[in-house]
Amino acid sequence: MKRVQSEGKMKKIGFIGLGAMGNHMARNLTKKGFAVTVYDLNPEAVQSLVNAGAKAAESCAAAAQNADIVITVLPADRHMKAVMMNDNGVFQGASPGTTIIDMTTLSPHTSIEVAAEAQKRGLFFLDAPVSGGTIGAEKGTLTIMVGGEKQLFEQVRDVLEAMGKTIYHVGGIGIGETVKMVNQILVACNMLAISEAFVLGVKLGADPDTLLNVIKVSAGNSFLIEHRLPNYVFPGDFEQPGFALDLLRKDVGIAMDSAREEKVAISLTSIVYQMLTQASSAGFGNMDMSSVIKVVESSAGVSVRKTTKTED
């Protein structure tokens, strides 16, 4: 396997996708001294990175030219495939020996498909989805789950460490996405369980702060209880999402598709997906994922935030 870059030289990185996550991730790479060239359909996002020290590219292909590593952080499978394979895409601009690190949350099957196409062109590929939300992206403390060859993973560890704090090599191509998918199933199911439990408790007269304090030291505790309830649900501050509801719905949809293809019954996840869809249809898609509790509150006629009955 070709080395990603010779000893003593800072890696050149093409970075594609400067949304809520990618903008912070690319910025952290720039802060660490990597030579970063960025591309995004949003010119303002590109300019913000140029102001931070990056260079701008006119296309995905241009971002990949002369890069040792190309990183992509995109909304969904179709966007990632287009960025890689379309005219002026990464495959057109990248030279043989370039490493692609896709950090989009995708179907594992898509990662395997794109990795196979990359290999035909002499390109290396890692799937490396992340967890930690926009706060983790900004602080450089993301959890990164990497699928692909272990030797290649070690060669790009310094790049990953510029964006994340907890980094795992979890297996071959597609396993990074598989681990992320499992995490997102648990996030979604836990968030809905919290919503139903706390709404029922408040409906029956329990004080939400008392519920939180007791559950935090009991077997029902979780990361989401400790972070989502006090920071989003109780103050009713859903407008600045740590992780948008529509993104969680997309991730759970990936799990649904994967389960269908592999003939695995995931009944609880299916119900949670429908609840997320209902919340998205109600206009909460761009809000924090914890806003799904508003659907449960509306049905019960109470608010965990105000602890009063809602108006008919």
Side-chain angles (χ1 to χ4, degrees):
M1 177 181 293
K2 176 185 172 181
R3 294 186 63 82
V4 172
Q5 179 61 291
S6 59
E7 291 291 340
K9 293 184 179 180
M10 187 60 75
K11 298 177 178 74
K12 293 179 289 185
I13 297 172
F15 199 105
I16 301 169
L18 302 175
M21 299 288 288
N23 192 293
H24 293 304
M25 294 160 71
R27 196 175 299 272
N28 284 330
L29 288 166
T30 302
K31 289 178 181 178
K32 293 291 185 179
F34 291 100
V36 181
T37 300
V38 298
Y39 177 76
D40 192 274
L41 293 175
N42 181 355
E44 293 181 0
V46 172
Q47 187 59 50
S48 72
L49 264 295
V50 170
N51 294 343
K55 294 182 180 180
E58 296 182 354
S59 66
C60 297
Q65 287 176 354
N66 302 315
D68 299 303
I69 298 169
V70 177
I71 296 174
T72 49
V73 186
L74 302 162
D77 292 48
R78 68 182 185 276
H79 304 102
M80 185 269 210
K81 292 174 75 172
V83 161
M84 295 295 169
M85 301 180 185
N86 283 4
D87 291 342
N88 284 321
V90 170
F91 286 172
Q92 189 175 94
S95 301
T98 302
T99 294
I100 297 168
I101 306 176
D102 178 58
M103 307 187 80
T104 311
T105 298
L106 302 169
S107 163
H109 299 89
T110 297
S111 287
I112 293 169
E113 176 188 349
V114 174
E117 291 298 323
Q119 185 177 26
K120 292 177 183 177
R121 293 163 173 79
L123 307 173
F124 301 117
F125 187 93
L126 296 171
D127 60 292
V130 303
S131 180
T134 54
I135 294 175
E138 182 177 7
K139 294 183 177 180
T141 58
L142 293 168
T143 296
I144 306 176
M145 298 147 264
V146 186
E149 292 189 23
K150 181 67 178 296
Q151 182 181 351
L152 183 61
F153 163 73
E154 294 295 347
Q155 289 185 18
V156 302
R157 181 186 285 274
D158 57 336
V159 174
L160 299 172
E161 288 176 345
M163 298 178 285
K165 180 179 180 181
T166 308
I167 302 167
Y168 295 97
H169 179 259
V170 294
I173 295 294
I175 303 302
E177 298 294 355
T178 298
V179 173
K180 176 63 184 290
M181 182 176 66
V182 170
N183 182 75
Q184 297 306 84
I185 290 173
L186 294 171
V187 167
C189 291
N190 188 213
M191 192 66 246
L192 189 57
I194 292 167
S195 298
E196 292 188 348
F198 272 74
V199 167
L200 177 60
V202 170
K203 180 79 172 184
L204 293 173
D207 176 72
D209 284 320
T210 299
L211 284 172
L212 175 61
N213 291 334
V214 173
I215 299 302
K216 280 170 62 177
V217 293
S218 302
N221 191 32
S222 70
F223 178 88
L224 293 181
I225 283 177
E226 292 191 1
H227 292 269
R228 263 352 190 244
L229 285 176
N231 295 323
Y232 292 92
V233 174
F234 285 1
D237 185 13
F238 303 112
E239 298 294 334
Q240 299 297 322
F243 190 73
L245 185 141
D246 270 350
L247 290 178
L248 183 60
R249 178 180 176 273
K250 183 265 292 185
D251 293 350
V252 176
I254 290 172
M256 297 288 294
D257 292 340
S258 297
R260 187 180 303 113
E261 185 162 342
E262 297 297 328
K263 298 181 181 179
V264 176
I266 50 173
S267 302
L268 179 59
T269 305
S270 177
I271 294 170
V272 170
Y273 180 75
Q274 295 305 321
M275 292 295 293
L276 292 170
T277 299
Q278 184 178 351
S280 181
S281 297
F284 309 147
N286 292 325
M287 296 182 183
D288 188 74
M289 64 178 185
S290 57
S291 62
V292 70
I293 197 172
K294 296 171 75 172
V295 174
V296 185
E297 288 176 329
S298 177
S299 176
V302 298
S303 170
V304 171
R305 287 160 285 131
K306 297 179 181 179
T307 65
T308 57
K309 291 186 177 180
T310 58
E311 295 181 2
D312 294 331

